Structure formats: structure tokens, C-alpha cells
Amino acid sequence: MSEKISEDSNALSKQSKLAQLIKKTASEKIGPENTVLVWPNLVYLELIAIMVSVAVILFLSLVSPAPLEELASADTTPNPTKAPWYFLGLQELLVYFDPWLAGMVLPTFIIIGLVLIPYLDPSPLGKGYYTFKERKFSMLGFGFGLSLWWVLILIGVFFRGLDWSWYWPWDDPHFHQPAGAVKLMDLEIILQSTLGLSEAPLTTLGRYAITKANVLTWALFLGFYGVGFTVPFLFFRDFYRKLGFVRYNLTMFFFISMMGVPMKIFLRLLADVKYVLVTPWFKF
Amino acid sequence: MLKLLQKIRSIVNKTQVFKSIFRHGYPDTDGNRALVMFSNVILHLHPVRVRRGALKIKYTWCLGGLTFLFFILLAITGVILMFYYVPDTRRAYNDIRDLGTVIYFGSLFRAVHRWSAHAMVFSVWMHMTRVFMTGSYKPPREFNWVVGVILLVTTLVLSWTGYLLPWDQLALWAVTVGSKMAEATPFIGAAGPFGPELGRNSGNDMAFALLGGTVVGQSALLRFYVLHCLALPLITALFIAVHFWRIRKDGFSGPL
């Protein structure tokens, strides 16, 4: 008997939910009272936007015409050599990463990551309106990547001068910055000397002579990903359940890789680490 | 005076020539305002009616439309610039200099082309940010977001290929930086991880394919010119068409 009642109330709540849904969709339905004619309402708005933008472009063009430097010459390398501004973020990454990473792998990850966004975000909330509350993780994640991109561009445009050194706005851009002592070291060397590990290779893999310190750097590198994958899985079960196995792993892979970029930057700036991993084929 | 103009208009509107071009009257009635959307190929990008929310500037900031506007400005000024430019390393630089000294409005066309390019890169980024912030990539619009990412990439590559054409120091060395990165591509670059192991050298790697040689020279200039003026604009236009068509099919994501 009690079961029957609960079933009934269940059905009732389902029914009322359905009624709510119908009511909601009905209010969102495109009725004539909620719509306006595109001509003149939207067309005129577009016309104004076009006129203002063209005026701005014309103004900028008259005030600041396109520059033309000296004839291209393979004999004289300008100092510094700067890419167009929208690629300066990647060029700035060259300070911290080798070209295969900064110029190829990371941009590829960015593009693939961007393409995957709609397929990795299962939440129906926040569609068609600005909201932070309803989608904190995706907003913070995207916002972090976007700010990283813009900060690196701004550094490249405004704070890099001769020899790609750091120049404050008040530094004279015509003088070279004094060359600092080169203190950068590979992580395996740092570990080897601080922990007093033997330099003798444990085993060799082709040209790769693997020492204890090598194993340790690999463990740290893989541990970074390992911890990143495991912690949300254990402590944010809801997050994992909502995403499912495939979405979770893809999301975390791109998220952890993105967090790895500033991590490596800080490792270099604060701990003088040049490479985390060194192999005969690639350095990272 | 006003009455005279109105009279002229009503006579013109009834002529055979006018009717053959415009299949609607002056759009001052609801009927004609709907017809103008149906019968004009450019306006047909729009629906006849939109929700009020679609008009909110604070929702879209007009960014997608402005990106398209900059693309059109670039196409127009680009065609004009092509009349005066030959992609030959011996004369490319002088052709660009002539734009500033010999050709009427040459400097202006070049400046508009350059500023529109900067503006397009900027607005396409901003547009993407806006679409993310409003969650407009969510079903059923996932694939249009993917098309948008493709358009972002083609915009950047278009801009980058255009950078080489003036053949000045800025052009040569900015592209040299890029080609060094291509050289470092894993597996297919001569200086990249596992590139040499797979038999890549400076004569058969990614940078060679991009530059048509081992240095940024005549072949690179011709390749970048053809990509910049022909291949990439066509690809971009195609994806813009798909992008717009999808917006019309899926509807606008905004509020009421």
C-alpha cells in the first residue's frame, strides 16, 4: 500500500515536472510577440556597426600607415626578431620550451582542445546567457587558458627587447641588458648532485643511457599527470560521474597539460630548471 | 520637395527595370519587409524575424558580423593591392614601396588591408570568447564551434602568409621564426623529435614543404602568395558559408 502511494506521488512529481517543462518551452517558443522584423531592426543595427567600424579602420589607417622596413636580407638578422603580435605568445614560450613544443605540439594541443570543448562539456546549463555561477569549472578553465595566451602576448609585445631580454618601459631599448650568469640546469643534474645519485646508467635504450636520476625525472613528470588524473577522480566523484570515463580523461589530459605550461615557466624562473626530461631524441 | 521625391519613387518602383531587379516594393510595410529578406541574396543570410534578444548588443557585441566585415574589407583591398604587386623577390619590395610613393591611394589601401587584418584576428578571438562565455557551443551547435575553430586557424594562417609578401626585413625574419618551428615538428621536421630517425633532412621535411626550399626565398614567396591570395581565402569563404548556414539552421542561441 505504501509502495503504491509512493509510486503515485512519483508519477505525480513526474507529471508536474513535465507540465513545468511544457510551460517553460511554451514561454521560450518563438511567438510573434517575442520576435521583431529583421528589416529594419537588425539590418539598421548592422549598418551602424559597419559604418562605425569602417570609420575606425579608416582613421587608424590614416593616422598609422603600414610600415615598411629595409629590403629583406638574409645577411642581417634584426635584433630582436619578432613574429606578428598574435604569435608572440608562442614565441615567448620559446624561452621556456624547445621549438617542437612551443611552436608545434602546444599549438596543436590548443587547437584540438578548442575543437573538443563542446564534446567535453555535458552541462546544459548556461546556454544562451552569461553566467559564472552555473559553470564555474569551464569558465575558470577557459579563462585561465585565455589569460595565459594574452599575458604571454603582452609580454612579447611590450616587455621584450634586444636579445629577447626583459625590458621595462623605462629601460633604454637601445642598450643590451647585462647578461646574467647562466645558472640553468637540467632537473636530472640537480637531482643527481643534491641526492648524490650515481651517474652510472642502470640500462640503455638505444642511445638513451638511463641513470637513476633519469628514472626519477620520469617519475616526477608522470607523477604530475598521475596526481592530476587521480585527485579529482577520488575527491570530486560528482565531477567524474557527470563527465564519464572518456570525457573525464580527455578533459583532464588537456587541463593538466595546460597547467603544466605555467608550472614549467615557474620551475625555470624560480628553480633554474632548464629541462625536466632529457632524452637523446627530445628535451622537455 | 518630399512629395516630388515620393512621386518619383512610386514611378520608378513600377518600371519594368526596377521590378526585374527588386522583387519587392520599398520595405516600409511588413509584407515588403519580409519579402526583402526572401528575395535579396545577401539579406537572405538573415531570417525574416528574430527574437528580441538577438538585437541586444551586450549579448553578441556584433563580433561575428564584424569579423565577416573585416574579411570583406580585406578581400576588396586585397584585390586592389594584387594589381600592383608581383611575387618576385627582385621587385616585390619595390612594388610595395611604390604603393606608398607612386600609386594614388596606394598607401591607404595597404594601411586599410593591414588594419583590417589586425582587426580580424582580434575580433575572431573576441567572438570565440563571447561564444564560450554564453555557452553557445552547446548542443545542437557543437559542430559550428568546430567550424569556428577552423576559421580561427585559417584567419591566423592567412595573416601569417600575408606577412611575408612585402619582402622587407620584418617579413623575412618573422617567417623565418615560423619556418624554424616547422623544422622542429615531431616526426616530420628535420630538427624535431624522431625526425632524423625517420629519415627527415632539410631537403624533405615539413619546413621544406612550407618554403619550397631550405631558406625563405623565391619559392617561399610564391607559395605564400598563392596561399594568401587564392587557396586560403577560398577555404575561408567556404567555411564562412557553412558557419552562417549552420547559424540559420540551428537558430540563434541568445535570450528572448
Side-chain angles (χ1 to χ4, degrees):
Chain A
M1 182 66 193
S2 67
E3 237 172 56
K4 181 112 185 23
I5 290 173
S6 82
E7 224 170 66
D8 275 355
S9 73
N10 234 344
L12 193 72
S13 80
K14 255 185 203 163
Q15 218 168 27
S16 70
K17 263 185 198 161
L18 199 66
Q20 262 178 349
L21 196 71
I22 290 168
K23 213 169 140 191
K24 208 173 150 217
T25 20
S27 72
E28 277 174 5
K29 220 172 120 186
I30 309 175
E33 68 284 356
N34 286 328
T35 61
V36 287
L37 277 167
V38 164
W39 185 299
N41 298 287
L42 181 57
V43 176
Y44 277 35
L45 210 64
E46 286 173 349
L47 184 68
I48 294 166
I50 287 170
M51 290 202 298
V52 171
S53 310
V54 171
V56 170
I57 292 283
L58 277 175
F59 175 77
L60 287 170
S61 304
L62 291 170
V63 176
S64 162
L68 186 63
E69 293 190 359
E70 280 173 46
L71 177 64
S73 155
D75 302 328
T76 353
T77 314
N79 185 1
T81 309
K82 281 196 184 183
W85 63 269
Y86 38 84
F87 287 141
L88 279 184
L90 297 178
Q91 205 181 343
E92 177 64 20
L93 283 181
L94 278 175
V95 176
Y96 309 98
F97 297 94
D98 278 2
W100 67 274
L101 258 174
M104 283 295 154
V105 173
L106 291 178
T108 309
F109 277 12
I110 294 172
I111 293 165
I112 295 174
L114 285 173
V115 163
L116 285 179
I117 282 175
Y119 304 101
L120 296 181
D121 179 3
S123 160
L125 295 172
K127 181 160 78 181
Y129 52 96
Y130 290 96
T131 170
F132 173 71
K133 246 195 240 159
E134 293 169 30
R135 38 197 293 247
K136 282 183 188 142
F137 175 74
S138 53
M139 281 294 207
L140 285 175
F142 187 81
F144 181 83
L146 197 72
S147 352
L148 189 66
W149 176 258
W150 283 111
V151 166
L152 288 172
I153 285 178
L154 290 176
I155 290 174
V157 173
F158 294 110
F159 296 100
R160 290 297 181 179
L162 291 172
D163 318 316
W164 208 257
S165 303
W166 187 280
Y167 279 78
W168 292 107
W170 53 84
D171 289 336
D172 190 329
H174 300 100
F175 290 99
H176 290 268
Q177 297 287 46
V182 181
K183 298 177 293 182
L184 295 177
M185 272 200 282
D186 298 337
L187 187 61
E188 58 177 52
I189 312 252
I190 297 174
L191 290 174
Q192 208 159 286
S193 55
T194 31
L195 300 178
L197 297 174
S198 136
E199 277 179 50
L202 297 169
T203 176
T204 52
L205 197 73
R207 286 190 281 138
Y208 195 8
I210 302 167
T211 63
K212 273 183 187 163
N214 281 134
V215 176
L216 209 55
T217 54
W218 274 102
L220 284 171
F221 173 71
L222 295 175
F224 172 66
Y225 274 89
V227 170
F229 272 98
T230 320
V231 168
F233 176 71
L234 291 179
F235 300 103
F236 298 92
R237 294 296 297 174
D238 219 36
F239 180 71
Y240 176 80
R241 244 197 310 276
K242 269 182 197 154
L243 287 174
F245 182 76
V246 176
R247 283 203 188 100
Y248 173 81
N249 284 303
L250 281 169
T251 306
M252 288 319 289
F253 173 74
F254 283 103
F255 185 73
I256 299 165
S257 303
M258 179 172 79
M259 299 312 279
V261 171
M263 286 274 287
K264 172 79 200 293
I265 292 177
F266 284 127
L267 269 182
R268 184 189 165 103
L269 293 178
L270 303 176
D272 295 323
V273 173
K274 185 162 171 63
Y275 293 116
V276 173
L277 287 177
V278 179
T279 77
W281 308 284
F282 63 88
K283 291 166 179 171
F284 171 76
Chain B
M1 186 65 189
L2 193 69
K3 273 200 174 152
L4 183 69
L5 285 175
Q6 274 170 345
K7 201 169 180 195
I8 292 173
R9 198 179 82 191
S10 69
I11 292 169
V12 169
N13 282 4
K14 279 179 194 134
T15 59
Q16 191 188 354
V17 175
F18 184 90
K19 279 182 178 169
S20 71
I21 303 170
F22 301 103
R23 272 98 194 257
H24 53 80
Y26 192 78
D28 50 5
T29 62
D30 280 7
N32 276 328
R33 283 168 174 177
L35 267 180
V36 70
M37 289 297 151
F38 284 133
S39 57
N40 181 308
V41 67
I42 295 163
L43 291 176
H44 191 64
L45 286 173
H46 303 92
V48 172
R49 303 184 74 94
V50 287
R51 283 182 285 164
R52 287 182 193 282
L55 299 178
K56 265 199 180 159
I57 293 176
K58 278 188 178 174
Y59 184 75
T60 65
W61 302 99
C62 304
L63 285 163
L66 289 183
T67 309
F68 184 49
L69 168 71
F70 296 133
F71 181 73
I72 292 168
L73 282 180
L74 283 161
I76 294 169
T77 50
V79 167
I80 295 167
L81 292 173
M82 277 175 82
F83 292 142
Y84 301 105
Y85 178 84
V86 178
D88 178 336
T89 53
R90 288 164 300 184
R91 61 172 288 190
Y93 179 75
N94 288 326
D95 284 347
I96 298 291
R97 211 167 49 175
D98 283 354
L99 282 172
T101 52
V102 182
I103 293 144
Y104 288 115
F105 298 112
S107 176
L108 181 70
F109 287 130
R110 196 175 155 233
V112 171
H113 197 74
R114 173 172 171 269
W115 277 110
S116 303
H118 286 323
M120 187 175 166
V121 172
F122 184 74
S123 64
V124 83
W125 262 113
M126 288 291 135
H127 174 57
M128 172 183 239
T129 309
R130 191 285 291 174
V131 169
F132 184 89
M133 295 296 174
T134 58
S136 306
Y137 59 82
K138 297 189 176 197
R141 300 182 186 80
E142 304 102 309
F143 185 67
N144 218 14
W145 167 272
V146 176
V147 174
V149 175
I150 293 168
L151 285 170
L152 169 75
V153 174
T154 60
T155 303
L156 290 173
V157 179
L158 261 170
S159 203
W160 187 63
T161 49
Y163 223 75
L164 181 67
L165 303 187
W167 203 250
D168 63 347
Q169 280 288 69
L170 197 68
L172 179 73
W173 290 96
V175 171
T176 304
V177 170
S179 69
K180 285 273 173 271
M181 291 186 176
E183 210 172 58
T185 317
F187 308 113
I188 50 173
F194 306 106
E197 279 77 7
L198 293 170
R200 295 285 84 82
N201 58 51
S202 57
N204 64 9
D205 75 337
M206 183 65 197
F208 190 89
L210 185 71
L211 301 178
T214 51
V215 291
V216 182
Q218 177 59 57
S219 319
L221 183 60
L222 188 59
R223 270 172 203 222
F224 276 50
Y225 176 77
V226 174
L227 286 174
H228 185 75
C229 302
L230 191 75
L232 289 166
L234 280 177
I235 293 168
T236 307
L238 187 73
F239 279 105
I240 287 176
V242 176
H243 203 57
F244 285 3
W245 186 73
R246 281 279 178 150
I247 296 170
R248 289 282 275 109
K249 292 290 150 185
D250 293 340
F252 189 75
S253 71
L256 284 172

